[in-house]
Amino acid sequence: MDLDKVERLRDRLLMCPICMDEYKDPRLLPCHHTVCLDCIHNILQASSITGRMFRCPQCRRDVCVPRGGIHEFPLNFYIISLQDELGTKTYHDTCDMCKRDWLISQFRCVDCDMVICKFCIHEHRLFQHDASRQYNIMRIEITPADVHLSSTRSCPKHLEEILQLYCCTCDKPVCITCICEDHKRHETVPMATKLSASRLALQEELDRLASEKRHIQQTLGQVQATSDSVSKWADGARKEVQDRGKDLHGRIDKMVMEQISVVGEGERRTLHELGTYSKDLRKYSEEADKGLRFLQDLQEGDMCLELLDCYDKYRNSLEEQKIKSSNKAIELKKFTFSEGWDLQFQQYYVGSVGKLACYSSRQKFLTKKGLLDNYSVKEFLFRLLTPGKIALLLVVISMLFTIGQLIHAYISDPNNAQEVGVGLFFCVYLFLASYFAYRKS
């Protein structure tokens, strides 16, 4: 058979869909697809939490792991027979990072779908993957002859030489030519010996990083606990501020309601008196209407002594109602409110709600003047000349007489101007005091 056909047949039938390499220990899944045993183990660790189920990489069907583990998946003897007939393929693939075609790649990253050599895998692990998720990297089996190289770096002084030794005196890798030229009397060791010693140092670094990670986790716990405490303190302070605000609002509302109740009580009393007086006036008006209708319906033939007696009785009753309803004085209360003041300085707040003032006055309704009663001249003068008005009139007359005397004294002797001025001042003061006393009374 042609060699190219054999290779094409091997690529079509003997290549694992996960590691993209020739099958190693091929196992048959329930969906009739074949996967390497190690690939099943790797994909199960990466995709399943319970370790009991994963998805086929080709048909995406859910596959349950047998009770005895992945080793109970049956061998695909058909694939094994083909491998026996076609022979094992020598693995050789170029690293996708350094692109060295002469260097065999020993690792495969399933997440990135890359084949990587053993020198580039460390950079890929440290810098290409997020630390929060676990990367899925598989080791590719190769022949022992492919793993002897300790490094691919060339000597910076002798570019054709590989760094195979390590100078402990200069603490740097060197090639064989450098040993003969610049490091003859220096202490040198093979690179493999140095790498073995470095492995122990890396193990100590592993322990140090593990200890540092534990310390970081403890610090994170402390930070989280502190954050919870800060939130708890803030919630407590916020609740106390809100409670204090509600308390202040309640006190202010209480003071406002007290003043509103005073206004309402004054209004209720005044309206009650006005309502009672309105009833009396309506009763008086109804009695007057009876008399009007009676007199309007009176005929000439109805005149008799009994009518006059009855009307006199009605008039006496109406007069009593008139006396009851006339000169009615009701106390009116006028409320005014002057706004308070407030002052805020930093967290302190001082102020007052305001002051409620009540002005009382008595108003008379249905006075005798309103009833069109006729006054005599004597009664008019008696009402006009009240004691206060008479006293004020006497003060004015006395003041005018005194002012006349002062003017006459000044005309007689101008040297008395100072005494005259003092007398005029006292006259004006006496008049103003009498006038304001009268107005107050």
Side-chain angles (χ1 to χ4, degrees):
M1 184 181 294
D2 190 5
L3 185 60
D4 293 336
K5 292 183 180 180
V6 172
E7 293 298 329
R8 286 197 300 270
L9 185 61
R10 180 183 285 111
D11 292 339
R12 290 184 57 188
L13 299 178
L14 303 181
M15 183 175 292
C16 175
I18 296 179
C19 64
M20 303 302 294
D21 193 12
E22 189 172 336
Y23 286 114
K24 303 177 185 63
D25 196 0
R27 299 295 174 133
L28 188 64
L29 302 179
C31 57
H32 303 293
H33 291 115
T34 304
V35 184
C36 299
L37 182 64
D38 291 339
C39 295
I40 295 177
H41 176 73
N42 293 331
I43 196 173
L44 188 62
Q45 286 186 340
S47 61
S48 178
I49 299 176
T50 60
R52 300 295 301 169
M53 182 177 292
F54 64 95
R55 286 188 175 183
C56 174
Q58 288 186 297
C59 64
R60 310 304 295 171
R61 183 178 298 178
D62 291 335
V63 178
C64 293
V65 179
R67 292 183 179 275
I70 60 176
H71 293 280
E72 290 193 2
F73 282 116
L75 288 169
N76 192 334
F77 293 101
Y78 175 73
I79 298 296
I80 296 175
S81 300
L82 284 178
Q83 287 179 333
D84 293 339
E85 292 294 333
L86 298 178
T88 303
K89 178 182 177 181
T90 303
Y91 178 79
H92 187 275
D93 203 350
T94 304
C95 176
D96 291 330
M97 294 186 66
C98 64
K99 304 297 182 182
R100 297 187 180 95
D101 55 358
W102 54 271
L103 188 62
I104 298 176
S105 301
Q106 300 181 17
F107 298 90
R108 180 177 186 83
C109 180
V110 179
D111 297 331
C112 304
D113 192 19
M114 296 174 61
V115 289
I116 308 170
C117 66
K118 72 172 185 176
F119 304 109
C120 299
I121 190 62
H122 312 297
E123 180 181 357
H124 185 78
R125 284 174 174 172
L126 289 175
F127 300 106
Q128 300 297 326
H129 284 276
D130 188 2
S132 60
R133 60 187 294 264
Q134 184 177 4
Y135 45 81
N136 188 8
I137 296 178
M138 299 183 300
R139 182 182 292 271
I140 301 173
E141 294 183 2
I142 57 176
T143 59
D146 297 327
V147 297
H148 292 314
L149 289 178
S150 300
S151 175
T152 60
R153 294 184 184 179
S154 299
C155 178
K157 188 175 181 181
H158 310 94
L159 299 179
E160 70 280 358
E161 295 286 342
I162 300 297
L163 299 175
Q164 300 180 5
L165 301 173
Y166 192 86
C167 179
C168 299
T169 305
C170 300
D171 194 18
K172 67 177 184 179
V174 294
C175 65
I176 297 177
T177 305
C178 291
I179 293 294
C180 298
E181 294 179 355
D182 302 328
H183 304 271
K184 291 181 178 180
R185 299 183 181 276
H186 294 179
E187 181 183 358
T188 59
V189 294
M191 186 64 69
T193 304
K194 175 61 179 177
L195 293 179
S196 299
S198 299
R199 180 182 295 275
L200 298 177
L202 291 178
Q203 183 63 40
E204 295 178 357
E205 181 70 12
L206 173 64
D207 298 337
R208 187 189 67 81
L209 288 178
S211 176
E212 187 172 349
K213 182 179 180 180
R214 288 193 298 270
H215 181 66
I216 292 174
Q217 294 296 330
Q218 294 176 358
T219 306
L220 284 175
Q222 294 175 0
V223 170
Q224 184 62 38
T226 305
S227 301
D228 297 339
S229 300
V230 170
S231 300
K232 184 178 180 181
W233 297 337
D235 293 339
R238 190 181 298 110
K239 185 177 182 302
E240 292 178 357
V241 171
Q242 291 176 350
D243 294 341
R244 179 58 177 169
K246 291 179 181 179
D247 181 51
L248 292 177
H249 278 297
R251 294 185 181 184
I252 294 175
D253 292 340
K254 182 179 179 181
M255 289 187 288
V256 171
M257 292 306 298
E258 289 176 355
Q259 297 191 1
I260 290 176
S261 63
V262 171
V263 175
E265 183 66 20
E267 179 188 16
R268 185 185 63 80
R269 290 182 180 180
T270 302
L271 293 179
H272 177 70
E273 292 183 7
L274 290 174
T276 304
Y277 184 55
S278 297
K279 293 180 181 179
D280 295 339
L281 288 177
R282 291 191 186 96
K283 186 175 181 181
Y284 181 32
S285 178
E286 291 174 358
E287 293 294 329
D289 288 340
K290 289 181 183 179
L292 286 174
R293 289 195 299 270
F294 177 78
L295 295 177
Q296 289 174 356
D297 296 340
L298 190 62
Q299 302 294 329
E300 184 177 355
D302 295 338
M303 294 300 297
C304 60
L305 292 176
E306 288 78 5
L307 184 144
L308 296 177
D309 293 338
C310 184
Y311 188 76
D312 288 339
K313 183 178 179 181
Y314 162 76
R315 185 169 183 178
N316 292 332
S317 175
L318 186 63
E319 188 68 23
E320 293 178 358
Q321 190 67 32
K322 171 184 174 182
I323 295 172
K324 182 179 179 181
S325 300
S326 61
N327 289 327
K328 181 69 174 179
I330 297 178
E331 183 179 6
L332 302 180
K333 292 185 177 182
K334 180 182 178 181
F335 291 94
T336 59
F337 179 75
S338 58
E339 293 184 358
W341 56 273
D342 55 86
L343 178 64
Q344 183 176 2
F345 177 73
Q346 293 181 355
Q347 73 271 24
Y348 300 101
Y349 192 87
V350 183
S352 64
V353 176
K355 183 178 181 181
L356 183 67
C358 177
Y359 301 94
S360 300
S361 62
R362 300 186 69 84
Q363 182 174 351
K364 291 185 178 182
F365 296 91
L366 202 60
T367 60
K368 290 186 177 180
K369 183 178 180 180
L371 291 173
L372 301 179
D373 290 341
N374 295 323
Y375 295 131
S376 62
V377 177
K378 182 179 179 181
E379 292 176 345
F380 176 76
L381 292 176
F382 179 76
R383 291 178 177 273
L384 180 62
L385 299 176
T386 59
K389 292 180 180 179
I390 294 173
L392 180 63
L393 183 60
L394 293 175
V395 171
V396 172
I397 294 173
S398 301
M399 185 189 66
L400 292 175
F401 178 75
T402 304
I403 291 174
Q405 293 295 326
L406 292 173
I407 294 173
H408 177 71
Y410 177 74
I411 294 174
S412 300
D413 186 5
N415 296 327
N416 297 328
Q418 186 175 1
E419 289 79 1
V420 171
V422 174
L424 288 175
F425 174 75
F426 278 106
C427 288
V428 173
Y429 175 77
L430 181 62
F431 171 74
L432 293 177
S434 302
Y435 175 75
F436 284 115
Y438 165 73
R439 293 294 296 177
K440 186 175 182 181
S441 63

